[in-house]
Amino acid sequence: MLLISMLLAFNVSMSNRFSSDLSGIKYVAQQQTRPSVIIANSHELEARLKMHEPISDAFTELGATVTALDQTITNLANEGMVVDDLNHTYYFSTIRDEPAASTLQSALRRWTSYKAKLDTVRRLAGNPYETGANGEVMLNDRGTRLSEALAELAPLEGSAERELTGAFKTVNEQLETYSKSRSTMLKVAQVAAIVLALGMLVAILSYFGGTLRREEQIAANARKETQNILRTVNEGLFLLDRSARIGTERSLALASIFRRDDLDNLAFDDLLRDIVPEKTLRTAQEYVELLWGERVNEKLVKTINPLNEVEVHFDNPSGGFDTHFLEFDFNRVKSDGQLSHLLVTVNDVTKRVMLARELQESQEKAQAQLDMLMRILHVDPNSLTTFLTDAETSLKMVNTILREPAREEAAFRTKIDSIYRQIHAVKGESSALGLKTVEQRAHSFEEALNEIKARQNISGSDFLPLVVKLDDLFNHLAQVREMLGRLVDLHQAIASRRATEPQGSQKTEVDREEMGDWLASPATDDPREGTSALEALVTGAGLARTLDKLAQKVADNYAKQVELECSGLDTVPNVYRRTVKDIAIQLVRNAVVHGIESPNERRKSQKTEFGQLSIEFADRGAQGVELTVKDDGCGLQLDRIKKVAIDRGLLTEAQAALMDQRQTMALIFRPGFSTSDAVTSDAGRGAGMDLVRSLVAERNGRVGMATAKGRYTKFKIWLPAASQAAAA
């Protein structure tokens, strides 16, 4: 290889030199005419002087020709390069042939003497004429000397032209001789290189032919081993090329996994198209394209594999389909440092997925029951019992509303508002008690209602999903009641054992810590006015405690601080118990979300960081009962209320301008009206104040409001006397 490289380098060098020689020969041949051109220029210059004509262009041409000829003959004699008029460069070697070298040196001497005379002429460039007294043009002193210098050139012209022309001819012949010599050497070198290359080619073909036969045998053995492996593995193995098509080498298990045999050159998209959803197919396509990126971190990309556990559906003979779960694993295959294929491994992991789901469902169920138990343990038993009774009543009312026949759009929307009020009441009290599982289900129910309400046209079939959610709520409340019953039984057992154990027993103290409020009072079977032992388990200010928990929970959600003061709630008549509870829950939530400011805002207004919220219940005898809820917050923002009403199409700007304070405040009681910017579990749907209005209207009561901007908001609810309500 080194010898071939040397021959090729020599070949290239000689070729370049040969080309340079040809150019030089052509250039030297052109120089043979320059002495004649110089003589012609001299004669032209002399003729113009005699005719008193301009001579500047003749001088310029003479100077250019003399300079070019001087450079050429000097460099030819002393070995150098020549640049012609077009900036082409020619390189000349030393003329080694003795006759040619002598001729060139003799010509150089002749040229030197001739050029001296020419330089004398060139130095006299300028205006050679002057005008006489009678206006006649004549030669000036410069012109006279120029004419004399030109005359001195005449004796030298013949010998200079002959000797210079002969020298150029001799040099040209010598250059042609050199060129022919190099051409001969080049041909010999080329022939030698061809012969050597052919010899090496034969040797290489012989060597690689034997190597290829050995490698073919090795490849055949390896292919046989690969086929044996692919026949026995249980996983689906195949290669994807850059066009995402399956190669011919694959495991036999692949056909069994995908229930098809036409896998040769099948596109990966077509393999998945009929067995996965369109969204999953698009995700798989994007993921495979991502794996082909040269700069992609393979380990990182594998962590986001969307086909790690993909659900697929295969048609079965009975007309249905079988569901399986497949696990795809992708590995990039590189050849010569370049990414060439993707190796795909497929496993049917249906059994593993189903077992994992069963285990997860069991764990979630157990965790849900444990969470429910822990939450129940922290809820006042009497409040919990009351909530379950009231919630079941509300859900039964929802069931009744769903069953009511309706055909017109207005009737459907009335049903939605009625259901909203009942579910919102359940959600509010469950939130106050900290029963998160109930609150979440009620909130989901509200989401479904809101989705139906947002539709342009509503039909009876739109309410069908609500039946499923209602059934789920019923079942969940039944689970809570069942858990409550078990705790009551446990409480009674602990109470009985405590009565028989010595005072101060360590075991009793441990049980007391675990049961918390559930050991607040002994169990009893006293029916007490028709209530069960479960409902009469403990007594106390349960509503006040529930409202305080609600206020603190909502305040935490909104980064606020609040202090709640309750009075008179333990005197609420049984007939108003649920009404007062539901109203108080909504007004407390509304006050904390919309009324009480953040600590920073309260400090700017020179208020304490803790917002003050008070609830007062008073029985006025025959005049009825009063429920007052007051906060020292920012007050109702009447301009904001009007703006929201205008934005939602409830009012025009002209109507809003004519509304007084009382009419503006009444807007907050409209169904679905809310000034919140976002919907949360505590506010935003406009159901709370509508529920208050509905509860008061059902009891033939009245609602009064008072507010002062930046100071307070107060709601006063008047309800008929308890005796009148009981009679009604």
Side-chain angles (χ1 to χ4, degrees), residues 35-234:
S36 300
V37 173
I38 292 174
I39 294 173
N41 289 339
S42 300
H43 293 171
E44 176 70 17
L45 189 59
E46 188 175 7
R48 290 191 180 189
L49 282 175
K50 292 178 179 180
M51 300 297 294
H52 298 157
E53 294 178 354
I55 63 171
S56 58
D57 54 342
F59 253 111
T60 301
E61 186 176 356
L62 176 63
T65 307
V66 170
T67 300
L69 183 59
D70 181 62
Q71 181 183 12
T72 300
I73 194 168
T74 301
N75 284 328
L76 283 174
N78 299 303
E79 184 179 5
M81 68 177 181
V82 178
V83 180
D84 65 7
D85 301 339
L86 300 177
N87 287 327
H88 294 156
T89 303
Y90 304 93
Y91 296 93
F92 299 99
S93 301
T94 303
I95 303 299
R96 296 182 179 85
D97 184 68
E98 183 57 34
S102 297
T103 301
L104 185 59
Q105 290 298 326
S106 176
L108 178 60
R109 287 191 297 271
R110 175 67 65 181
W111 167 251
T112 301
S113 60
Y114 185 51
K115 180 176 177 294
K117 298 294 184 179
L118 288 171
D119 288 342
T120 301
V121 174
R122 293 167 67 188
R123 283 194 294 270
L124 294 173
N127 184 14
Y129 307 116
E130 63 181 10
T131 305
N134 57 358
E136 181 184 3
V137 178
M138 63 182 63
L139 293 176
N140 59 16
D141 183 59
R142 181 190 300 273
T144 302
R145 286 188 285 117
L146 177 59
S147 179
E148 293 173 353
L150 289 172
E152 292 178 1
L153 287 176
L156 301 176
E157 289 176 351
S159 58
E161 180 182 9
R162 288 191 299 274
E163 193 160 351
L164 289 174
T165 302
F168 281 126
K169 182 177 180 181
T170 301
V171 170
N172 204 23
E173 292 173 352
Q174 189 63 41
L175 290 177
E176 288 179 355
T177 302
Y178 290 164
S179 178
K180 290 178 180 179
S181 175
R182 292 190 182 97
S183 175
T184 302
M185 294 176 63
L186 178 61
K187 291 178 181 179
V188 172
Q190 289 177 340
V191 170
I194 292 172
V195 172
L196 183 59
L198 289 175
M200 294 190 67
L201 179 61
V202 172
I204 292 172
L205 290 176
S206 300
Y207 172 77
F208 283 105
T211 303
L212 182 60
R213 286 190 294 272
R214 290 192 297 271
E215 290 182 352
E216 285 181 349
Q217 184 61 41
I218 294 172
N221 295 336
R223 188 160 49 250
K224 185 175 181 181
E225 293 176 359
T226 302
Q227 291 174 350
N228 291 335
I229 293 173
L230 293 177
R231 278 196 295 266
T232 56
V233 296
N234 295 324

Side-chain angles (χ1 to χ4, degrees), residues 165-329:
T165 302
F168 281 126
K169 182 177 180 181
T170 301
V171 170
N172 204 23
E173 292 173 352
Q174 189 63 41
L175 290 177
E176 288 179 355
T177 302
Y178 290 164
S179 178
K180 290 178 180 179
S181 175
R182 292 190 182 97
S183 175
T184 302
M185 294 176 63
L186 178 61
K187 291 178 181 179
V188 172
Q190 289 177 340
V191 170
I194 292 172
V195 172
L196 183 59
L198 289 175
M200 294 190 67
L201 179 61
V202 172
I204 292 172
L205 290 176
S206 300
Y207 172 77
F208 283 105
T211 303
L212 182 60
R213 286 190 294 272
R214 290 192 297 271
E215 290 182 352
E216 285 181 349
Q217 184 61 41
I218 294 172
N221 295 336
R223 188 160 49 250
K224 185 175 181 181
E225 293 176 359
T226 302
Q227 291 174 350
N228 291 335
I229 293 173
L230 293 177
R231 278 196 295 266
T232 56
V233 296
N234 295 324
E235 295 85 0
L237 294 174
F238 60 93
L239 290 172
L240 284 181
D241 59 17
R242 284 192 174 272
S243 60
R245 293 190 174 275
I246 299 175
T248 56
E249 296 295 331
R250 59 182 180 272
S251 64
L252 294 180
L254 189 65
S256 175
I257 292 174
F258 286 95
R259 303 184 181 185
R260 59 189 303 174
D261 296 321
D262 56 332
L263 298 173
D264 285 342
N265 204 32
L266 181 68
F268 186 63
D269 300 351
D270 296 333
L271 180 66
L272 300 179
R273 191 176 307 282
D274 297 329
I275 60 176
V276 298
E278 186 66 25
K279 182 178 180 181
T280 302
L281 179 60
R282 289 196 302 269
T283 303
Q285 293 171 341
E286 294 171 357
Y287 181 72
V288 170
E289 291 177 2
L290 182 63
L291 284 171
W292 282 104
E294 291 290 346
R295 298 184 179 180
V296 172
N297 188 317
E298 183 176 4
K299 292 183 179 179
L300 179 61
V301 172
K302 290 181 72 171
T303 61
I304 60 172
N305 182 4
L307 301 180
N308 188 35
E309 280 185 7
V310 60
E311 183 176 342
V312 299
H313 301 284
F314 297 109
D315 295 334
N316 58 33
S318 61
F321 61 85
D322 299 328
T323 300
H324 285 256
F325 293 88
L326 301 182
E327 180 183 64
F328 290 78
D329 184 40

Side-chain angles (χ1 to χ4, degrees), residues 630-641:
K630 181 179 179 181
D631 67 78
D632 69 340
C634 61
L636 292 179
Q637 303 176 37
L638 302 182
D639 293 339
R640 168 72 173 164
I641 292 174

